[in-house]
Amino acid sequence: MAPKPPENGMEGDDEREEESEEENSEEEEEDEPRLKYQRMGGSVPTLLQSDAASCVAIAERMIALGTHSGSVHILDFLGNQVKEFIAHTAAVNDLCFDIEGEYIASCSDDGSVVISSLFTDERMKFEYHRPMKTIALDPDYVRKSSRRFVTGGLAGHLYFNVKKWIGYRDQVLHSGEGPIHSVKWRASLIAWANDAGVKVYDAANDQRVTFIERPRGSPRPELLLPHLVWQDDTVLVIGWGTSVKIVSIRSNQNKGANGTYKNIQMSSMNQVDIVASFQTTYFISGIAPFGDSLVVLAYIPVEEDGEKDFSSTIPSRQGNAQRPEVRVVTWNNDELATDALPIHGFEHYKAKDYSLAHAPFSGSSYAGGQWAAGDEPLYYIVSPKDVVIAKPRDTEDHIAWLLQHGYHEKALAAVEAGQGRSELLDEVGTRYLDHLIVERKYAEAASLCPKLLRGSASAWERWIFHFAHLRQLPVLVPYIPTENPRLRDTAYEVALVALATNTSFHKDLLSIVKTWPPVIYSALPVISAIEPQLNTSSATDDLKEALAELYVIDGQYEKAFSLYADLMKPDIFDFIDNHDLHDAIREKVAQLMMIDCKRAVPLFIQHRDLISPSDVVSQLRAAKNKCDYRYFLHLYLHSLFEANPHAGRDFHDMQVELYADYDPKMLLPFLRSSQHYTLEKAHEICVKRDLLREQVFILGRMGNAKQALAVIINKLGDIEEAIEFVSMQHDDELWEELIKQCLNKPEMVGVLLEHTVGNLDPLYIVNMVPNGLEIPRLRDRLVKIITDYRTETSLRHGCNDILKADCVNLLIKYYKEARRAICLSNEEDEFRTKRDNKNRSSQLAERSMSIRTMEVKSKVRGGTRCCMCFDPFSIHDVSIYVFFCCHAYHETCLMDSIDSIISKKKPAAPTHTQDDLTYYQYDNSDEEDEDGDGNDDARVRCILCTTAAG
């Protein structure tokens, strides 16, 4: 059995140098980031060279950037400035777009709120004379004539501004609990934060919804602002200091969605639950939703005296701050990813110097950790001198990260799942294959080639020759395509030769040769590579069969037949017939017999002109060590004898022995049919094998009938066979010998008496029986002898009587037939037609009449002349009557003679007409005419014969 190739490819001769062993210690597995980052370009770097960013707001189509100088810059998503508003004289603290992105509102430390249209010259400014820290427009600001907005600041009042018919009017929704630090408006719900905590107001129902207390131990709001963000219309995310709370606001129900939720005081219209709450180890400088998780802009506090100082009111010391981090966490505070941001000048910034804003997005497009194409959220991290954009990593980023960290299999799976551009498959595939080759995982690399190389013929050929260079091509061969794409002939030939030269892959070679279309390669180069191996130890049966298949492809059928015969292929007989290789069977007799003797024997018999019986016998004898050659000889010679008893006469002596060994029942028929065997040898064989009936036959042929009779009586004990044998010899002396040998055997004497009727006189046997010999059932047997004799005599007399009666009847019939005449005339066809209408069954008789007519006509004496007037006949003019006595008459001559004869006997007889004569025409009627009948004189008789008879 061929050795099984190793799983990772062929052993041995990789021509590359051995690589050093891998290091024992492995690096810790690195988590893949969730976000990717880039600095905003365009006009932003130029703007921030002379100014500092303070806040940012995101709309669907643009970005608004507020600065410390009081300007509001409208930017596209690439950072290019589209518009600029010189809205304030002090730092811009907050910005807000309406939901349609047509208006931008800003508030500033100069105490003013400015709302500007982005597409018209409309601009409104509201003075509050105290620094305003936050503002929120009604989401439907552009659609409603009320033009509502809320704003608040250090004065501690939350103003709700509504446009009425007499102008804009402020309503104080809340006051008395310190400055308003943040406000967010979603649908009809307004959430704001002051020193006491977070409150929610329902503008549609004009009532307060809930209050969430400020986290204990959090820094003062003026040092670390609270951050509010609506995840959707019912979920509010609060990030304050080191605390995160997620609040769910729903229509009033009897029970919250989670029994562990903490119920908050609520209005009669809504139910509020804190669905998640956790503490962090860092300060929160910004927070935003990330699908079903959160993105947190983390500010790492400075460690003092070995502990993190969370109680300090100063978040950091100037000059030693750490990089801000973007962390992706779940609602249970499980960190999914952490990225440190290389913000310019981060060492000098405090927690409140950073802000985080995100582009509006629909959470419904998020499923399975991925966003739908085009719905990915964007996150903007703003510092005084830098704006960094963060967005979820897409599939290509994921694949690139997997490749960079050596996760080629995962990268390939991602590409196959259709998560990236189709062009990525080539890059990923090439890098994956290179990686597997470096790792010496040749079999795995080969199995992946169909997926990675797909329909690229050039790529396939390149990797085929690369595997061949590494001496690992056999592991790739089963995966090589034969169409779509079809490669050059050389590639296939190189692959087949690689299989042929490695004994471990000869079975694969055979399979490939059988399955590959022959048109894609030339068989000659492969044949040339295999033929030198036939006489070596590496010539396996699979290799020989593969070579035979290649011979067939190349049209060398005789060479293929020789290999198939050596390999004992069962379908070789069909191969012989299909390719007419009967000349080639001459040298493969033994192999063909061993494959299927039932098909081989008829083949040899049919083509014995090509391969003589002596050749078949000699080859079978030469194969005596490989098979039961004598049995094959028996089958062949038996079939040869049946086809032609004389074709194998030289081997009939051998055939006697073969029949005796393999088919004794056929020996006696063979001995009776053949004349070409030696009787003495045949008798000796039969004696050795105790074949008694065969001995009897041979002794009979040798003329030793008495010895044969002795064998029948003494060894077979079959008196009936002895009687039959003696009867066939026709020798009276043998009968006497039979009687003598049976006289001492009473039972045989009785049987002999029973079977001698017709052969011997039973009285002769009875007289020879010794007196006093008791013969069983003698009386019955004598009665049977007498009965049989009487029966035989009666049968003989009966048969003689029947024979005589048959002879008389046939003579009478012949006589009557001979007395009748046949009329030959032009009216004969008309007459036959009338007869057919009367009796269809007489067609056969009329055909017989025509035949007989021709016979009679040929026998007419007198040179076809009338026996009365001696004129020649002409059947075209007159009617003619012909008799079986070979006399012929004209109708008129015959009628005149008949009339004259009748007139002499019966003068008053009427004249005969043509219709009367039809009675005398030939028919097959067997009715007898009695002599003396009145109609007898009316029949047509031959005048000459009748006169002579009279």
Side-chain angles (χ1 to χ4, degrees):
M1 182 180 294
K4 183 179 178 181
E7 294 182 358
N8 291 332
M10 296 169 54
E11 295 178 351
D13 304 322
D14 192 342
E15 293 183 352
R16 301 174 305 169
E17 296 181 356
E18 294 290 337
E19 298 179 359
S20 60
E21 295 182 357
E22 297 181 358
E23 297 179 359
N24 295 331
S25 60
E26 297 181 355
E27 296 181 358
E28 295 182 359
E29 185 176 353
E30 181 181 350
D31 291 333
E32 181 181 359
R34 296 297 184 95
L35 300 170
K36 60 181 179 180
Y37 306 90
Q38 67 180 50
R39 280 191 169 83
M40 180 175 282
S43 305
V44 173
T46 303
L47 294 175
L48 298 184
Q49 283 182 357
S50 57
D51 203 347
S54 59
C55 58
V56 67
I58 314 299
E60 186 176 354
R61 292 172 289 177
M62 63 199 72
I63 301 170
L65 181 66
T67 65
H68 284 278
S69 65
S71 299
V72 176
H73 302 279
I74 306 301
L75 311 173
D76 61 17
F77 285 103
L78 298 177
N80 300 311
Q81 180 171 296
V82 178
K83 207 167 190 178
E84 180 183 5
F85 299 103
I86 309 299
H88 304 280
T89 58
V92 179
N93 292 323
D94 197 10
L95 295 169
C96 181
F97 283 104
D98 69 319
I99 196 170
E100 299 294 336
E102 295 188 13
Y103 287 88
I104 180 68
S106 60
C107 62
S108 172
D109 284 342
D110 63 1
S112 64
V113 171
V114 176
I115 301 175
S116 302
S117 173
L118 298 176
F119 304 105
T120 65
D121 294 334
E122 181 182 359
R123 182 180 180 187
M124 293 163 288
K125 186 173 184 179
F126 302 90
E127 294 288 349
Y128 291 95
H129 309 292
R130 292 290 300 276
M132 305 304 289
K133 295 297 183 182
T134 183
I135 186 171
L137 289 178
D138 183 354
D140 294 328
Y141 184 87
V142 70
R143 301 174 187 168
K144 295 182 178 180
S145 60
S146 58
R147 301 299 177 104
R148 299 180 297 177
F149 67 88
V150 290
T151 184
L154 296 182
H157 300 295
L158 179 65
Y159 296 103
F160 184 69
N161 188 285
V162 181
K163 181 181 180 181
K164 298 186 180 292
W165 65 277
I166 58 175
Y168 291 91
R169 180 179 178 183
D170 284 324
Q171 175 186 353
V172 178
L173 291 181
H174 183 77
S175 64
E177 292 182 354
I180 306 299
H181 303 290
S182 179
V183 63
K184 299 295 178 184
W185 193 339
R186 180 70 177 254
S188 64
L189 298 178
I190 302 172
W192 70 92
N194 54 27
D195 288 347
V198 176
K199 293 181 173 60
V200 179
Y201 171 78
D202 187 350
N205 298 317
D206 192 20
Q207 62 180 355
R208 182 175 66 86
V209 176
T210 187
F211 166 69
I212 298 96
E213 187 178 0
R214 168 185 169 183
R216 296 180 181 180
S218 60
R220 297 196 309 273
E222 59 269 18
L223 298 178
L224 186 60
L225 297 175
H227 299 278
L228 308 178
V229 60
W230 288 99
Q231 178 164 319
D232 54 36
D233 292 347
T234 61
V235 177
L236 176 65
V237 180
I238 304 170
W240 199 328
T242 59
S243 174
V244 175
K245 292 182 180 180
I246 301 175
V247 180
S248 175
I249 303 172
R250 305 186 309 278
S251 298
N252 190 18
Q253 298 176 355
N254 295 329
K255 184 178 179 180
N258 190 325
T260 61
Y261 293 168
K262 179 180 178 182
N263 293 329
I264 309 299
Q265 184 179 359
M266 56 188 174
S267 69
S268 60
M269 297 297 295
N270 297 285
Q271 178 175 332
V272 180
D273 298 318
I274 296 180
V275 296
S277 176
F278 58 86
Q279 293 292 124
T280 66
T281 58
Y282 47 81
F283 290 137
I284 299 171
S285 295
I287 194 167
F290 185 78
D292 53 4
S293 303
L294 298 173
V295 172
V296 180
L297 180 59
Y299 182 86
I300 310 302
V302 178
E303 296 184 3
E304 294 183 357
D305 300 329
E307 297 181 357
K308 293 184 179 180
D309 184 11
F310 290 112
S311 61
S312 173
T313 58
I314 302 176
S316 67
R317 295 181 179 178
Q318 190 171 2
N320 64 349
Q322 298 187 31
R323 295 177 185 272
E325 295 178 352
V326 173
R327 301 194 178 192
V328 179
V329 299
T330 66
W331 286 11
N332 296 323
N333 198 26
D334 296 328
E335 290 193 4
L336 304 178
T338 301
D339 300 314
L341 301 179
I343 300 295
H344 295 315
F346 68 89
E347 302 92 343
H348 307 286
Y349 298 148
K350 300 177 182 179
K352 65 179 297 183
D353 293 328
Y354 298 103
S355 62
L356 172 66
H358 73 285
F361 70 97
S362 173
S364 62
S365 64
Y366 177 82
Q370 297 291 332
W371 277 269
D375 286 344
E376 301 91 346
L378 298 178
Y379 301 90
Y380 295 84
I381 297 98
V382 178
S383 67
K385 294 294 183 180
D386 215 351
V387 178
V388 175
I389 304 174
K391 60 182 178 180
R393 295 169 63 85
D394 56 20
T395 302
E396 295 186 12
D397 297 321
H398 172 62
I399 294 171
W401 184 88
L402 292 173
L403 292 175
Q404 181 181 357
H405 290 79
Y407 302 126
H408 298 88
E409 187 173 355
K410 294 181 179 179
L412 177 61
V415 175
E416 290 179 340
Q419 299 176 1
R421 294 178 291 108
S422 59
E423 295 81 2
L424 281 176
L425 184 59
D426 296 334
E427 178 185 354
V428 173
T430 301
R431 293 181 63 175
Y432 192 12
L433 291 178
D434 287 336
H435 167 73
L436 293 174
I437 294 298
V438 170
E439 296 292 328
R440 297 176 180 270
K441 298 179 179 179
Y442 304 112
E444 185 177 354
S447 65
L448 290 173
C449 283
K451 292 192 295 185
L452 303 181
L453 305 182
R454 295 177 295 170
S456 175
S458 59
W460 270 106
E461 291 174 1
R462 183 173 65 254
W463 280 102
I464 286 173
F465 290 113
H466 185 48
F467 271 80
H469 176 71
L470 299 174
R471 299 185 181 179
Q472 300 295 329
L473 184 54
V475 299
L476 179 61
V477 173
Y479 306 101
I480 296 176
T482 57
E483 59 180 357
N484 298 325
R486 177 176 171 180
L487 313 181
R488 291 180 295 174
D489 294 356
T490 308
Y492 297 113
E493 293 161 10
V494 168
L496 292 174
V497 171
L499 294 175
T501 54
N502 192 311
T503 56
S504 301
F505 294 93
H506 286 173
K507 186 174 182 179
D508 295 330
L509 172 65
L510 175 59
S511 175
I512 292 298
V513 170
K514 287 183 176 180
T515 55
W516 277 5
V519 297
I520 66 176
Y521 63 92
S522 173
L524 281 177
V526 188
I527 292 173
S528 301
I530 296 176
E531 284 180 337
Q533 302 182 54
L534 287 182
N535 297 324
T536 65
S537 59
S538 61
T540 62
D541 288 347
D542 290 329
L543 182 65
K544 292 179 181 179
E545 186 175 354
L547 180 58
E549 295 286 343
L550 292 170
Y551 279 143
V552 173
I553 293 172
D554 197 47
Q556 303 182 48
Y557 300 115
E558 291 188 2
K559 291 184 177 181
F561 164 76
S562 178
L563 289 173
Y564 282 143
D566 293 339
L567 293 170
M568 311 293 287
K569 286 297 178 181
D571 55 352
I572 192 171
F573 296 96
D574 295 331
F575 185 78
I576 293 171
D577 293 336
N578 294 338
H579 301 288
D580 193 19
L581 298 175
H582 302 101
D583 292 339
I585 65 177
R586 187 178 296 109
E587 304 299 329
K588 299 294 180 182
V589 172
Q591 291 89 333
L592 294 176
M593 291 293 287
M594 287 187 285
I595 292 171
D596 189 347
C597 58
K598 292 182 180 180
R599 296 190 64 178
V601 168
L603 183 66
F604 298 146
I605 300 299
Q606 182 181 359
H607 299 280
R608 57 180 179 273
D609 55 333
L610 299 175
I611 176 169
S612 64
S614 59
D615 291 336
V616 175
V617 172
S618 61
Q619 289 191 47
L620 289 176
R621 282 178 170 176
K624 61 182 179 180
N625 296 327
K626 299 179 181 178
C627 61
D628 186 359
Y629 79 98
R630 296 184 73 254
Y631 175 69
F632 291 152
L633 281 173
H634 164 66
L635 295 177
Y636 171 71
L637 293 175
H638 171 68
S639 298
L640 181 64
F641 182 77
E642 289 184 339
N644 186 348
H646 306 289
R649 58 181 175 270
D650 296 339
F651 308 103
H652 282 195
D653 285 335
M654 178 195 304
Q655 202 165 355
V656 171
E657 185 175 2
L658 294 174
Y659 273 123
D661 290 340
Y662 293 102
D663 196 357
K665 293 182 179 179
M666 293 299 298
L667 178 56
L668 185 57
F670 173 76
L671 294 174
R672 289 173 176 170
S673 303
S674 175
Q675 303 294 330
H676 305 292
Y677 58 89
T678 304
L679 294 175
E680 291 77 8
K681 292 182 179 179
H683 181 260
E684 182 181 354
I685 292 171
C686 293
V687 170
K688 287 182 178 179
R689 290 164 176 78
D690 198 24
L691 301 174
L692 301 178
R693 283 183 172 81
E694 288 77 6
Q695 293 180 40
V696 171
F697 176 78
I698 295 173
L699 290 171
R701 285 189 84 170
M702 294 171 67
N704 197 346
K706 292 183 178 181
Q707 185 178 352
L709 183 60
V711 172
I712 296 175
I713 295 175
N714 299 325
K715 295 185 178 180
L716 287 176
D718 191 343
I719 184 61
E720 295 181 1
E721 184 173 348
I723 294 171
E724 181 181 0
F725 175 77
V726 173
S727 299
M728 293 175 60
Q729 300 300 318
H730 304 290
D731 187 352
D732 294 339
E733 293 182 0
L734 199 58
W735 278 108
E736 293 180 1
E737 181 66 24
L738 173 62
I739 295 171
K740 288 179 182 179
Q741 294 192 23
C742 292
L743 289 178
N744 297 324
K745 300 178 176 62
E747 181 63 33
M748 288 188 177
V749 172
V751 176
L752 186 60
L753 288 172
E754 292 179 0
H755 292 81
T756 54
V757 176
N759 295 315
L760 287 177
D761 186 358
L763 294 177
Y764 177 75
I765 301 174
V766 172
N767 292 331
M768 292 185 66
V769 173
N771 293 328
L773 181 65
E774 294 183 3
I775 300 174
R777 298 185 292 112
L778 177 60
R779 179 179 178 278
D780 296 337
R781 284 170 173 167
L782 291 175
V783 171
K784 183 177 184 300
I785 290 172
I786 297 172
T787 304
D788 291 345
Y789 179 77
R790 289 177 177 175
T791 302
E792 183 180 356
T793 302
S794 176
L795 287 173
R796 286 179 180 177
H797 288 301
C799 290
N800 288 333
D801 294 341
I802 293 171
L803 183 60
K804 290 177 181 180
D806 289 344
C807 290
V808 171
N809 292 333
L810 290 174
L811 286 172
I812 293 172
K813 184 175 181 180
Y814 174 75
Y815 172 71
K816 289 184 177 182
E817 294 291 338
R819 293 172 60 191
R820 296 180 182 178
I822 300 172
C823 180
L824 303 177
S825 66
N826 290 334
E827 292 80 10
E828 183 179 358
D829 293 336
E830 179 181 355
F831 173 73
R832 288 179 181 175
T833 302
K834 292 179 180 179
R835 289 190 63 185
D836 289 343
N837 294 334
K838 294 179 180 180
N839 187 2
R840 293 291 182 180
S841 63
S842 63
Q843 291 180 359
L844 182 60
E846 296 211 0
R847 291 179 185 175
S848 177
M849 179 193 67
S850 299
I851 295 173
R852 294 184 183 183
T853 299
M854 297 305 295
E855 292 176 353
V856 172
K857 183 177 180 180
S858 65
K859 297 178 182 178
V860 173
R861 299 173 185 174
T864 64
R865 293 176 180 273
C866 176
C867 292
M868 297 297 294
C869 65
F870 299 103
D871 292 334
F873 291 127
S874 175
I875 64 174
H876 297 287
D877 298 328
V878 295
S879 298
I880 299 170
Y881 280 90
V882 180
F883 292 89
F884 280 91
C885 60
C886 300
H887 295 133
Y889 307 90
H890 288 110
E891 180 183 4
T892 56
C893 296
L894 181 63
M895 295 299 105
D896 291 342
S897 298
I898 292 174
D899 289 339
S900 62
I901 294 172
I902 294 175
S903 62
K904 291 178 180 180
K905 293 182 178 181
K906 298 178 181 180
T911 301
H912 293 278
T913 64
Q914 181 66 32
D915 294 336
D916 296 331
L917 296 178
T918 59
Y919 173 81
Y920 302 104
Q921 290 182 358
Y922 177 81
D923 57 34
N924 288 329
S925 175
D926 291 335
E927 296 179 358
E928 297 182 359
D929 295 331
E930 298 179 0
D931 294 338
D933 189 354
N935 293 331
D936 184 60
D937 293 338
R939 287 183 178 273
V940 178
R941 304 294 187 208
C942 176
I943 300 300
L944 297 179
C945 294
T946 304
T947 303

